[in-house]
DNA sequence: ACCTGAACACCGTTCAAGT
DNA sequence: ACCTGAACACCGTTCAAGT
């Protein structure tokens, strides 16, 4: 779809609004989001966005959905990296999660704040896809015997909660940046150790 | 300080506004907070709150501070309950944290969203007091030899992150209520097990 | 199908003025 | 010291009308 002569007034207003909204959130926070100013910055009338986003909440929902999609992609890339052990992959994935939080703190807050307002199925799917990355790693770890057997969702939720908690604490300003990576390392180490010890068999062959 | 004849126009406007704000947050969410409507509900002019809260952020900060104070009190009560073992106390405290999240989800979100906007020292102190409850329990567990030695803040942050992560996931609607308590139990069990195994000595005397 | 412009009811914030 | 009322510049949302 070429847009050489600027078809009508903006070509693809929806994605232009989303891109600008993402910029505003990153630079000024989610509270600063204003439909009218967004329209102004993009060069359309204040009522033009209405065709693409029913209301303010719909825009935030779309923003959250895009955020979860990007988060999922980044987690997937980290999980499928060059590391050999599942433990190393888990650490890389956890670090990718926290990296997202440091780079897009306000967006992460928005992603987990939009709640079930709109009950958007697309948002739920995008969020679950991000969670699946961790789930798959755990299943692989269990299959290789490196992690104790157990319901993957239950133990996956445990790790996810911890990593998300670290990220949430950081975006709230309650965690000094110097302690951030150390905490992530501790959390993954602690997780792997705990999941090993959960097994009925002795933790080491020579015990 | 008797207020039999209604001193001037409202007696104690500040606490009346805070109480009403807490109610609005609980019933309609933090986004619904409006200084003008608060003033209306309390029966003063829309500019009266200005004397007590410099702006909208100041009100939110005061709300967050009160929230952290209440959270600290509830955690302290749970930590000092009838349980005998430190592990049982840790579980009771974690449950109290999650109970706070289920009863005041929007307030908890606001508490961790106010960020360092105002740099309020009182808010920081109230937040740290809540964290200290967990810290003290861990120190006690380490002293009794039930938990491995280590920097209490570092390992305390680990547990705090996990419990807060569970609460945050719940308030975001990403955790079905039926799984909530099970996850808390898993988390505390996993934590205690991991902290035991971290010790260089064998996990059980008869190993 | 997509966008505009006027209109409405609401905000937060400020400031002179009242008691 | 504490509160009021008018004023200002902003919102989100709606709706008839334009292209």
């Amino acid at each position: 779809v070429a847009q050489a002569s600027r078809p009508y007034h903006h070509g693809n207003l929806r994605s232009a609004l989303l891109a600008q909204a993402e910029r505003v959130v990153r630079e000024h926070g989610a509270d600063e989001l204003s439909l009218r100013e967004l329209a102004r910055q993009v060069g359309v009338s204040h009522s033009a966005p209405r065709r693409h986003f029913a209301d303010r909440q719909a825009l935030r929902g779309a923003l959250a959905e895009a955020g979860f999609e990007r988060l999922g992609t980044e987690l997937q890339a980290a999980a499928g990296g060059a590391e050999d052990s599942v433990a190393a992959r888990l650490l890389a994935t956890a670090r990718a999660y926290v990296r997202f939080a440091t780079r897009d703190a306000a967006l992460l807050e928005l992603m987990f704040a939009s709640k079930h307002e709109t009950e958007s199925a697309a948002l739920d799917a995008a969020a679950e896809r991000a969670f699946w990355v961790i789930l798959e790693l755990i299943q692989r770890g269990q299959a290789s015997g490196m992690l104790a057997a157990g319901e993957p969702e239950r133990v996956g939720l445990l790790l996810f909660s911890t990593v998300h908690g670290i990220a949430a604490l950081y975006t709230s300003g309650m965690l000094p940046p110097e302690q951030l990576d150390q905490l992530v390392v501790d959390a993954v180490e602690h997780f792997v150790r705990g999941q090993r010890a959960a097994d009925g068999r002795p933790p080491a062959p020579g015990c």
Side-chain angles (χ1 to χ4, degrees), chain A:
Chain A
V1 186
Q3 46 180 4
S5 62
R6 284 225 202 120
Y8 181 26
H9 215 154
H10 201 276
N12 195 341
L13 181 56
R14 191 189 140 93
S15 58
L17 286 168
L18 273 179
Q20 180 60 24
E22 231 175 304
R23 213 170 307 140
V24 169
V25 168
R26 186 177 298 119
E27 291 170 5
H28 302 99
D31 288 339
E32 232 54 36
L33 261 188
S34 152
L35 282 177
R36 280 181 111 108
E37 185 164 16
L38 238 42
R40 222 177 289 131
Q41 290 167 330
V42 160
V44 294
S45 88
H46 66 261
S47 46
R50 191 92 211 301
R51 291 283 135 182
H52 304 279
F53 305 104
D55 57 12
R56 205 173 174 269
Q57 267 312 312
L59 173 74
R60 292 168 75 102
L63 224 39
E65 186 190 332
F68 273 117
E69 257 153 29
R70 186 152 61 81
L71 177 62
T73 303
E74 294 181 11
L75 293 188
Q76 189 68 63
E83 291 83 4
D84 36 308
S85 75
V86 169
R89 285 174 193 276
L90 281 174
L91 177 58
T93 308
R95 275 184 163 142
Y97 196 104
V98 170
R99 203 180 318 129
F100 188 97
T102 60
R103 287 211 276 240
D104 281 289
L107 178 60
L108 189 73
E109 255 185 85
L110 186 150
M111 285 157 59
F112 283 91
S114 66
K115 279 189 284 199
H116 35 67
E117 305 277 1
T118 41
E119 295 282 355
S120 161
L123 202 164
D124 289 0
E128 248 176 292
R129 231 173 300 142
F131 179 54
W132 278 342
V133 176
I134 288 181
L135 221 61
E136 275 190 330
L137 273 182
I138 285 174
Q139 283 173 322
R140 213 192 311 180
Q142 290 182 342
S144 75
M146 197 240 129
L147 296 178
E151 300 171 57
E153 305 116 18
R154 213 168 125 183
V155 35
L157 226 45
L158 212 58
L159 180 59
F160 193 81
S161 297
T162 304
V163 176
H164 176 66
I166 292 171
L169 247 44
Y170 173 77
T171 64
S172 304
M174 310 214 137
L175 219 63
E178 319 90 60
Q179 293 184 29
L180 194 51
D181 190 63
Q182 181 65 260
L183 188 53
V184 175
V185 171
D186 283 356
V188 175
E189 262 180 16
H190 183 95
F191 173 79
V192 171
R193 187 169 58 228
Q195 280 310 110
R196 248 200 310 250
D199 197 327
R201 294 165 297 178
C207 180

